[in-house]
Amino acid sequence: MILASASPRRRELLALIGIPHEITPADIDESYLPGETPRVHAERLAREKATAIDEADAVTIGSDTIVVVDDEVLGKPRDREHASAMLRRLSGCSHVVMTGIAVRWQGRVASGVEEAGVTFRTLTAHEIARYIDTGEPMDKAGSYGIQGYGATIVERVDGDYFAVMGLPLNRLVRLLRELGLIYDFGPVVAG
């Protein structure tokens, strides 16, 4: 099993459910294609990551998470000011997190997208500045991570919590089954 991502959160989630894996981050262009919707973009990137790693007998997992508010995608912040602007925009309102996930095995790819609605509580300028001071927002879509300090600013999640973290585990198991692989609370095996 190869995880085509450098994300520590995704590594932790696979370890959490007992799936041994290696890390080989995929190096792909994550630019939007003309006319591409956020949902199509997230799934395409997940598929490209899963297929970028060419290991003959390996099962490869690719994933990509985006934050969408008012039909605009909020990527990773460029700098502190950009993170602050994103957090001000998300403060006191709801947005959608989309995580594309793809699994490649024996030349076949199964993929999908999990969506979750996330609502932030209203944040003060001081809270935003202090949260940015933690460093947590700087490498995350939408400038927050739900599994760390960001858990204190999220008021509600409607949908798959693990999709918000970056790896929808239930969808992963369904994709493995689609490819003829079995996950029985441990290593993945061929069915």
Side-chain angles (χ1 to χ4, degrees):
M1 180 80 62
I2 296 174
L3 178 61
S5 171
S7 165
R9 291 162 303 285
R10 291 183 181 121
R11 291 191 301 242
E12 290 167 8
L13 288 173
L14 284 179
L16 178 72
I17 62 170
I19 296 179
H21 59 280
E22 297 174 15
I23 306 299
T24 306
D27 183 23
I28 65 164
D29 180 0
E30 296 190 15
S31 303
Y32 270 83
L33 298 178
E36 191 172 50
T37 66
R39 184 179 183 87
V40 168
H41 178 75
E43 187 168 3
R44 178 181 61 82
L45 291 185
R47 291 178 70 89
E48 286 184 12
K49 289 175 182 180
T51 57
I53 310 302
D54 191 19
E55 295 281 335
D57 291 328
V59 176
T60 308
I61 300 169
S63 190
D64 192 75
T65 301
I66 59 175
V67 172
V68 182
V69 62
D70 299 328
D71 295 324
E72 181 183 343
V73 175
L74 303 183
K76 295 177 183 177
R78 293 182 300 273
D79 53 32
R80 184 180 180 87
E81 291 74 30
H82 190 216
S84 181
M86 281 194 263
L87 291 167
R88 284 192 310 273
R89 182 150 186 212
L90 296 173
S91 174
C93 66
S94 297
H95 59 278
V96 176
V97 174
M98 297 180 190
T99 296
I101 182 166
V103 179
R104 184 197 59 79
W105 184 53
Q106 294 185 337
R108 297 183 352 203
V109 180
S111 64
V113 176
E114 280 299 319
E115 291 187 22
V118 178
T119 303
F120 271 26
R121 66 178 173 82
T122 301
L123 303 173
T124 67
H126 176 75
E127 288 174 314
I128 290 172
R130 292 289 291 145
Y131 181 47
I132 293 170
D133 287 346
T134 70
E136 186 176 89
M138 301 316 293
D139 67 341
K140 294 173 183 62
S143 297
Y144 77 96
I146 195 168
Q147 71 286 346
Y149 296 110
T152 67
I153 63 178
V154 172
E155 193 170 84
R156 186 176 73 243
V157 174
D158 297 307
D160 186 339
Y161 173 83
F162 297 107
V164 181
M165 280 187 71
L167 191 67
L169 298 175
N170 187 280
R171 176 68 72 124
L172 171 62
V173 170
R174 286 186 283 154
L175 294 174
L176 291 168
R177 281 190 198 130
E178 201 175 304
L179 293 175
L181 298 163
I182 299 169
Y183 165 75
D184 273 340
F185 307 103
V188 174
V189 296

